[in-house]
Amino acid sequence: AYTPRLKERYLQEIVPELTKQFGYTNVMQVPRLVKISVNKGVGEASQNKKILDDAVEEVRKITGQHPVVARARKSVSNFKIREGMPIGVYVTLRGVHMYEFLDRLVTLALPRVRDFRGIPDRSFDGRGNYTLGIKEQIIFPEISFDDIDEIRGMNVTLHTSARTDEEAFRLLELIGGHEDIGRGPAFWLPFALVVAAFFAAPLWLTEFACDSAANLEEQRRFMVDAVAYLESEPRIARYAWFSGRT
């Protein structure tokens, strides 16, 4: 049976790491992803039905699952909304679709955000769930800029089984690969190669740094190993030299 690579990584690496850090005595205590909800508001759909159709198609392309149309439960005269009017679309992902979507989000979509500096850590709800606001749907490779008439965003909510925000934060930190960089190029470069394979083009690495070295000798070893790895990888067309700090 097919197992998403992110799920394999969760079982083989993330579960042992969380168990060690939080001292779980049973594997069922380890936090896990339960579902992912993707919501897109389209209040203007009451005036233009095409906006609703476009939203449905965009969410379907991004998630690989047909969304449900959300309708107003009551009338709000100030917003010209009547009961039963379409006001948004949403989809709930579980299982394989959930892991595949999150993998594409972390590996392909978020790095395309302009001036991306990571995601905020203040969006937890106190019960281990995290909501991420996405301002532009064009960060997803499935959406072509030529096929849209307006830039619109959406909300992505990651529902976990974590009992506290601290546990949920650590789970998502490991899923996002935050710990991978310090382990050397053989560990983090495969994620970059996924991008090259997706676009069927050689990869250019424009900048990378060694921030986690304990001393200059460790930093030097990291740089030597990384250059050797890059030189041996035919899918890397060019790469820039490191910057580093200890």
Side-chain angles (χ1 to χ4, degrees):
Y2 170 71
T3 302
R5 68 167 192 161
L6 188 57
K7 184 176 182 180
E8 288 184 350
R9 183 162 168 259
Y10 168 77
L11 295 174
Q12 296 174 8
E13 300 176 25
I14 298 177
V15 168
E17 179 67 25
L18 290 174
T19 301
K20 178 182 177 181
Q21 179 173 345
F22 293 100
Y24 301 122
T25 57
N26 190 310
V27 70
M28 298 303 294
Q29 294 177 288
V30 180
R32 67 184 186 282
L33 276 175
V34 177
K35 62 182 179 181
I36 295 178
S37 302
V38 181
N39 307 281
K40 187 178 181 72
V42 286
E44 311 95 327
S46 60
Q47 310 297 324
N48 185 352
K49 188 177 184 299
K50 184 178 182 300
I51 294 178
L52 178 64
D53 295 337
D54 290 344
V56 169
E57 183 63 16
E58 287 175 2
V59 174
R60 186 192 64 79
K61 287 181 178 179
I62 290 170
T63 64
Q65 189 168 306
H66 194 75
V68 177
V69 176
R71 299 184 180 275
R73 297 182 180 180
K74 61 181 181 180
S75 301
V76 182
S77 59
N78 291 342
F79 296 104
K80 299 180 180 180
I81 292 177
R82 295 193 302 272
E83 182 180 355
M85 271 190 173
I87 57 174
V89 298
Y90 67 92
V91 66
T92 301
L93 305 173
R94 293 182 172 88
V96 172
H97 285 293
M98 174 184 71
Y99 283 106
E100 291 288 4
F101 170 77
L102 184 57
D103 198 355
R104 295 196 305 275
L105 176 68
V106 172
T107 307
L108 298 177
L110 289 180
R112 299 178 69 184
V113 175
R114 184 180 305 173
D115 299 326
F116 183 65
R117 293 294 184 270
I119 59 177
D121 58 1
R122 304 178 301 276
S123 300
F124 289 91
D125 64 355
R127 297 187 294 271
N129 303 315
Y130 181 85
T131 297
L132 171 66
I134 295 176
K135 296 181 180 180
E136 301 179 343
Q137 76 272 45
I138 56 174
I139 68 171
F140 292 96
E142 297 88 350
I143 304 298
S144 172
F145 184 81
D146 297 330
D147 295 338
I148 64 173
D149 57 356
E150 187 177 345
I151 298 294
R152 297 188 181 90
M154 65 189 69
N155 288 329
V156 177
T157 302
L158 308 177
H159 302 264
T160 77
S161 64
R163 293 169 296 180
T164 65
D165 287 347
E166 180 187 3
E167 293 172 288
F169 177 82
R170 185 56 177 156
L171 169 65
L172 299 182
E173 186 178 42
L174 292 172
I175 287 177
H178 179 77
E179 296 294 316
D180 296 345
I181 296 178
R183 300 182 188 179
F187 204 93
W188 57 260
L189 193 55
F191 289 96
L193 295 179
V194 171
V195 180
F198 184 87
F199 290 104
L203 190 67
W204 289 24
L205 299 182
T206 57
E207 178 185 353
F208 43 109
C210 178
D211 294 340
S212 59
N215 50 57
L216 290 176
E217 178 59 26
E218 183 177 335
Q219 179 178 301
R220 188 193 68 80
R221 288 199 304 269
F222 181 94
M223 295 170 67
V224 169
D225 291 344
V227 169
Y229 194 100
L230 292 170
E231 291 289 348
S232 67
E233 175 50 62
R235 287 168 290 184
I236 302 297
R238 295 184 181 181
Y239 60 88
W241 190 248
F242 292 71
S243 62
R245 62 178 182 267
T246 57

